[in-house]
CSV table of all heavy atoms in Angstrom, one decimal:
chain,number,residue,atom,x,y,z
A,1,ALA,N,-24.0,-13.0,-8.9
A,1,ALA,CA,-23.2,-13.9,-9.8
A,1,ALA,C,-23.5,-13.6,-11.2
A,1,ALA,O,-24.6,-13.2,-11.6
A,1,ALA,CB,-23.6,-15.4,-9.5
A,2,ALA,N,-22.5,-13.8,-12.1
A,2,ALA,CA,-22.6,-13.5,-13.5
A,2,ALA,C,-23.8,-14.3,-14.2
A,2,ALA,O,-24.3,-13.9,-15.2
A,2,ALA,CB,-21.3,-13.8,-14.3
A,3,SER,N,-24.1,-15.5,-13.6
A,3,SER,CA,-25.1,-16.3,-14.1
A,3,SER,C,-26.5,-15.8,-13.9
A,3,SER,O,-27.5,-16.3,-14.5
A,3,SER,CB,-25.0,-17.7,-13.5
A,3,SER,OG,-25.1,-17.7,-12.1
A,4,THR,N,-26.6,-14.7,-13.1
A,4,THR,CA,-28.0,-14.1,-12.9
A,4,THR,C,-28.6,-13.7,-14.2
A,4,THR,O,-27.9,-13.0,-15.0
A,4,THR,CB,-27.9,-12.9,-11.9
A,4,THR,OG1,-27.3,-13.4,-10.7
A,4,THR,CG2,-29.2,-12.3,-11.6
A,5,ALA,N,-29.8,-14.1,-14.5
A,5,ALA,CA,-30.4,-13.9,-15.8
A,5,ALA,C,-30.7,-12.4,-16.1
A,5,ALA,O,-30.4,-11.9,-17.2
A,5,ALA,CB,-31.7,-14.7,-15.9
A,6,THR,N,-31.2,-11.7,-15.1
A,6,THR,CA,-31.6,-10.3,-15.4
A,6,THR,C,-31.0,-9.4,-14.3
A,6,THR,O,-30.8,-9.8,-13.2
A,6,THR,CB,-33.1,-10.2,-15.4
A,6,THR,OG1,-33.6,-10.6,-14.1
A,6,THR,CG2,-33.7,-11.0,-16.5
A,7,MET,N,-30.8,-8.2,-14.7
A,7,MET,CA,-30.3,-7.1,-13.7
A,7,MET,C,-31.5,-6.7,-12.9
A,7,MET,O,-32.6,-6.5,-13.4
A,7,MET,CB,-29.8,-5.9,-14.5
A,7,MET,CG,-28.4,-6.1,-15.1
A,7,MET,SD,-27.2,-5.5,-13.9
A,7,MET,CE,-27.6,-3.7,-14.0
A,8,PRO,N,-31.3,-6.5,-11.6
A,8,PRO,CA,-32.3,-6.0,-10.7
A,8,PRO,C,-32.6,-4.5,-11.1
A,8,PRO,O,-31.7,-3.8,-11.6
A,8,PRO,CB,-31.7,-6.1,-9.3
A,8,PRO,CG,-30.3,-6.0,-9.5
A,8,PRO,CD,-30.0,-6.7,-10.9
A,9,PRO,N,-33.8,-4.0,-10.9
A,9,PRO,CA,-34.0,-2.6,-11.2
A,9,PRO,C,-33.2,-1.7,-10.2
A,9,PRO,O,-33.1,-2.0,-9.0
A,9,PRO,CB,-35.6,-2.5,-10.9
A,9,PRO,CG,-35.9,-3.6,-9.9
A,9,PRO,CD,-34.9,-4.7,-10.3
A,10,LEU,N,-32.6,-0.7,-10.8
A,10,LEU,CA,-31.8,0.3,-10.1
A,10,LEU,C,-32.4,1.7,-10.2
A,10,LEU,O,-32.3,2.3,-11.3
A,10,LEU,CB,-30.4,0.3,-10.6
A,10,LEU,CG,-29.6,-1.0,-10.3
A,10,LEU,CD1,-28.2,-0.9,-11.0
A,10,LEU,CD2,-29.3,-1.2,-8.8
A,11,THR,N,-33.1,2.1,-9.2
A,11,THR,CA,-33.7,3.4,-9.2
A,11,THR,C,-33.4,4.2,-7.9
A,11,THR,O,-34.2,4.5,-7.1
A,11,THR,CB,-35.3,3.3,-9.4
A,11,THR,OG1,-35.7,2.5,-8.3
A,11,THR,CG2,-35.6,2.7,-10.7
A,12,PRO,N,-32.1,4.4,-7.7
A,12,PRO,CA,-31.7,5.1,-6.5
A,12,PRO,C,-32.2,6.5,-6.4
A,12,PRO,O,-32.1,7.2,-7.4
A,12,PRO,CB,-30.2,5.0,-6.5
A,12,PRO,CG,-29.8,4.9,-8.0
A,12,PRO,CD,-31.0,4.2,-8.6
A,13,ALA,N,-32.6,6.9,-5.2
A,13,ALA,CA,-33.0,8.3,-5.1
A,13,ALA,C,-31.9,9.2,-4.9
A,13,ALA,O,-32.0,10.4,-5.1
A,13,ALA,CB,-34.0,8.3,-3.8
A,14,ASP,N,-30.7,8.7,-4.4
A,14,ASP,CA,-29.6,9.5,-4.1
A,14,ASP,C,-28.6,9.7,-5.2
A,14,ASP,O,-27.6,10.3,-5.0
A,14,ASP,CB,-28.9,9.0,-2.8
A,14,ASP,CG,-29.8,8.9,-1.6
A,14,ASP,OD1,-30.6,9.9,-1.4
A,14,ASP,OD2,-29.8,7.9,-0.9
A,15,GLY,N,-28.8,9.2,-6.3
A,15,GLY,CA,-27.8,9.3,-7.4
A,15,GLY,C,-27.7,8.1,-8.2
A,15,GLY,O,-28.2,7.0,-7.9
A,16,PRO,N,-27.1,8.2,-9.4
A,16,PRO,CA,-26.9,7.0,-10.3
A,16,PRO,C,-26.0,6.0,-9.7
A,16,PRO,O,-25.1,6.3,-8.9
A,16,PRO,CB,-26.3,7.6,-11.5
A,16,PRO,CG,-25.6,8.8,-11.1
A,16,PRO,CD,-26.4,9.4,-9.9
A,17,PRO,N,-26.2,4.7,-10.0
A,17,PRO,CA,-25.5,3.6,-9.4
A,17,PRO,C,-24.1,3.5,-10.1
A,17,PRO,O,-23.9,4.0,-11.2
A,17,PRO,CB,-26.3,2.4,-9.6
A,17,PRO,CG,-27.0,2.7,-10.9
A,17,PRO,CD,-27.3,4.2,-10.9
A,18,THR,N,-23.2,2.8,-9.4
A,18,THR,CA,-21.9,2.4,-10.0
A,18,THR,C,-21.9,0.9,-10.1
A,18,THR,O,-22.2,0.1,-9.2
A,18,THR,CB,-20.7,2.8,-9.1
A,18,THR,OG1,-20.7,4.2,-9.0
A,18,THR,CG2,-19.4,2.3,-9.7
A,19,LEU,N,-21.6,0.4,-11.3
A,19,LEU,CA,-21.5,-1.1,-11.6
A,19,LEU,C,-20.1,-1.5,-11.6
A,19,LEU,O,-19.2,-0.8,-12.2
A,19,LEU,CB,-22.2,-1.4,-12.9
A,19,LEU,CG,-23.6,-0.9,-13.1
A,19,LEU,CD1,-24.1,-1.2,-14.5
A,19,LEU,CD2,-24.6,-1.5,-12.1
A,20,VAL,N,-19.8,-2.6,-11.0
A,20,VAL,CA,-18.4,-3.1,-11.0
A,20,VAL,C,-18.5,-4.6,-11.5
A,20,VAL,O,-19.2,-5.4,-10.9
A,20,VAL,CB,-17.8,-3.1,-9.5
A,20,VAL,CG1,-16.4,-3.6,-9.6
A,20,VAL,CG2,-17.8,-1.7,-9.0
A,21,LEU,N,-17.7,-4.8,-12.5
A,21,LEU,CA,-17.7,-6.2,-13.1
A,21,LEU,C,-16.3,-6.8,-12.7
A,21,LEU,O,-15.3,-6.3,-13.1
A,21,LEU,CB,-17.8,-6.2,-14.6
A,21,LEU,CG,-19.1,-5.6,-15.2
A,21,LEU,CD1,-19.1,-5.8,-16.7
A,21,LEU,CD2,-20.3,-6.1,-14.5
A,22,TRP,N,-16.4,-8.0,-12.1
A,22,TRP,CA,-15.2,-8.8,-11.8
A,22,TRP,C,-15.4,-10.0,-12.7
A,22,TRP,O,-15.6,-11.1,-12.2
A,22,TRP,CB,-15.2,-9.2,-10.3
A,22,TRP,CG,-15.0,-8.1,-9.3
A,22,TRP,CD1,-16.0,-7.5,-8.6
A,22,TRP,CD2,-13.8,-7.3,-9.1
A,22,TRP,NE1,-15.5,-6.5,-7.8
A,22,TRP,CE2,-14.1,-6.4,-8.1
A,22,TRP,CE3,-12.5,-7.4,-9.5
A,22,TRP,CZ2,-13.2,-5.5,-7.6
A,22,TRP,CZ3,-11.6,-6.5,-9.0
A,22,TRP,CH2,-11.9,-5.6,-8.1
A,23,LEU,N,-15.1,-9.8,-14.0
A,23,LEU,CA,-15.3,-10.9,-15.0
A,23,LEU,C,-14.1,-11.0,-15.9
A,23,LEU,O,-13.5,-9.9,-16.2
A,23,LEU,CB,-16.6,-10.6,-15.8
A,23,LEU,CG,-17.9,-10.5,-15.1
A,23,LEU,CD1,-19.0,-10.0,-16.0
A,23,LEU,CD2,-18.3,-11.8,-14.4
A,24,PRO,N,-13.8,-12.1,-16.5
A,24,PRO,CA,-12.8,-12.2,-17.5
A,24,PRO,C,-13.3,-11.5,-18.8
A,24,PRO,O,-14.5,-11.1,-18.9
A,24,PRO,CB,-12.7,-13.7,-17.8
A,24,PRO,CG,-13.3,-14.4,-16.6
A,24,PRO,CD,-14.3,-13.5,-16.0
A,25,ALA,N,-12.3,-11.2,-19.7
A,25,ALA,CA,-12.6,-10.3,-20.8
A,25,ALA,C,-13.8,-10.8,-21.6
A,25,ALA,O,-14.7,-10.0,-22.0
A,25,ALA,CB,-11.4,-10.2,-21.7
A,26,ALA,N,-13.8,-12.1,-22.0
A,26,ALA,CA,-14.9,-12.6,-22.8
A,26,ALA,C,-16.3,-12.5,-22.1
A,26,ALA,O,-17.3,-12.1,-22.8
A,26,ALA,CB,-14.7,-14.1,-23.2
A,27,GLN,N,-16.3,-12.7,-20.8
A,27,GLN,CA,-17.6,-12.6,-20.1
A,27,GLN,C,-18.0,-11.1,-20.0
A,27,GLN,O,-19.2,-10.8,-20.0
A,27,GLN,CB,-17.5,-13.3,-18.7
A,27,GLN,CG,-17.6,-14.8,-18.7
A,27,GLN,CD,-17.6,-15.3,-17.3
A,27,GLN,OE1,-16.5,-15.7,-16.8
A,27,GLN,NE2,-18.7,-15.4,-16.7
A,28,ALA,N,-17.0,-10.3,-19.8
A,28,ALA,CA,-17.3,-8.8,-19.7
A,28,ALA,C,-17.9,-8.3,-21.0
A,28,ALA,O,-18.9,-7.6,-21.0
A,28,ALA,CB,-16.1,-8.1,-19.3
A,29,THR,N,-17.3,-8.8,-22.1
A,29,THR,CA,-17.8,-8.3,-23.4
A,29,THR,C,-19.2,-8.8,-23.6
A,29,THR,O,-20.1,-8.1,-24.0
A,29,THR,CB,-16.9,-8.9,-24.5
A,29,THR,OG1,-15.6,-8.3,-24.4
A,29,THR,CG2,-17.5,-8.6,-25.9
A,30,ALA,N,-19.5,-10.1,-23.2
A,30,ALA,CA,-20.8,-10.6,-23.4
A,30,ALA,C,-21.8,-9.9,-22.5
A,30,ALA,O,-23.0,-9.6,-22.9
A,30,ALA,CB,-20.8,-12.1,-23.1
A,31,TRP,N,-21.4,-9.6,-21.2
A,31,TRP,CA,-22.3,-8.9,-20.3
A,31,TRP,C,-22.7,-7.5,-20.8
A,31,TRP,O,-23.9,-7.1,-20.8
A,31,TRP,CB,-21.7,-8.8,-18.9
A,31,TRP,CG,-22.6,-8.4,-17.8
A,31,TRP,CD1,-23.2,-9.2,-17.0
A,31,TRP,CD2,-23.0,-7.1,-17.5
A,31,TRP,NE1,-24.0,-8.5,-16.1
A,31,TRP,CE2,-23.8,-7.2,-16.4
A,31,TRP,CE3,-22.6,-5.8,-18.0
A,31,TRP,CZ2,-24.4,-6.0,-15.8
A,31,TRP,CZ3,-23.2,-4.7,-17.4
A,31,TRP,CH2,-24.1,-4.8,-16.3
A,32,LEU,N,-21.7,-6.8,-21.4
A,32,LEU,CA,-22.0,-5.5,-21.9
A,32,LEU,C,-22.9,-5.5,-23.1
A,32,LEU,O,-23.7,-4.6,-23.3
A,32,LEU,CB,-20.6,-4.8,-22.3
A,32,LEU,CG,-19.7,-4.4,-21.1
A,32,LEU,CD1,-18.4,-3.9,-21.7
A,32,LEU,CD2,-20.4,-3.3,-20.3
A,33,SER,N,-22.8,-6.6,-23.9
A,33,SER,CA,-23.6,-6.7,-25.1
A,33,SER,C,-25.1,-7.0,-24.7
A,33,SER,O,-26.0,-6.7,-25.5
A,33,SER,CB,-23.0,-7.7,-26.1
A,33,SER,OG,-23.1,-9.0,-25.5
A,34,ARG,N,-25.3,-7.7,-23.6
A,34,ARG,CA,-26.6,-8.1,-23.2
A,34,ARG,C,-27.4,-7.1,-22.4
A,34,ARG,O,-28.6,-7.1,-22.4
A,34,ARG,CB,-26.5,-9.4,-22.3
A,34,ARG,CG,-26.1,-10.7,-23.0
A,34,ARG,CD,-26.5,-11.9,-22.2
A,34,ARG,NE,-26.0,-11.8,-20.8
A,34,ARG,CZ,-24.9,-12.3,-20.4
A,34,ARG,NH1,-24.0,-12.8,-21.3
A,34,ARG,NH2,-24.5,-12.2,-19.2
A,35,HIS,N,-26.6,-6.2,-21.7
A,35,HIS,CA,-27.3,-5.2,-20.8
A,35,HIS,C,-27.1,-3.8,-21.3
A,35,HIS,O,-26.0,-3.3,-21.4
A,35,HIS,CB,-26.7,-5.3,-19.4
A,35,HIS,CG,-26.9,-6.7,-18.8
A,35,HIS,ND1,-26.0,-7.7,-18.9
A,35,HIS,CD2,-28.0,-7.2,-18.0
A,35,HIS,CE1,-26.5,-8.8,-18.3
A,35,HIS,NE2,-27.7,-8.5,-17.7
A,36,PRO,N,-28.2,-3.1,-21.6
A,36,PRO,CA,-28.0,-1.7,-22.0
A,36,PRO,C,-27.6,-0.8,-20.8
A,36,PRO,O,-27.8,-1.2,-19.6
A,36,PRO,CB,-29.4,-1.3,-22.4
A,36,PRO,CG,-30.3,-2.2,-21.7
A,36,PRO,CD,-29.6,-3.5,-21.6
A,37,PRO,N,-27.0,0.3,-21.0
A,37,PRO,CA,-26.5,1.2,-19.9
A,37,PRO,C,-27.7,1.6,-19.0
A,37,PRO,O,-28.8,1.9,-19.5
A,37,PRO,CB,-25.9,2.4,-20.6
A,37,PRO,CG,-25.6,1.9,-22.0
A,37,PRO,CD,-26.6,0.9,-22.3
A,38,VAL,N,-27.5,1.6,-17.8
A,38,VAL,CA,-28.4,2.2,-16.8
A,38,VAL,C,-28.2,3.7,-16.9
A,38,VAL,O,-27.1,4.2,-16.8
A,38,VAL,CB,-28.2,1.7,-15.4
A,38,VAL,CG1,-29.1,2.3,-14.4
A,38,VAL,CG2,-28.3,0.2,-15.4
């Protein structure tokens, strides 16, 4: 859920992860500003 405070650690052995956001524009903008790229 978007309300989750922190991103879980992503350290896949088989390759980089894919993130999918199902969020409205304002929430997507806020999420991108809070989380640095993996």
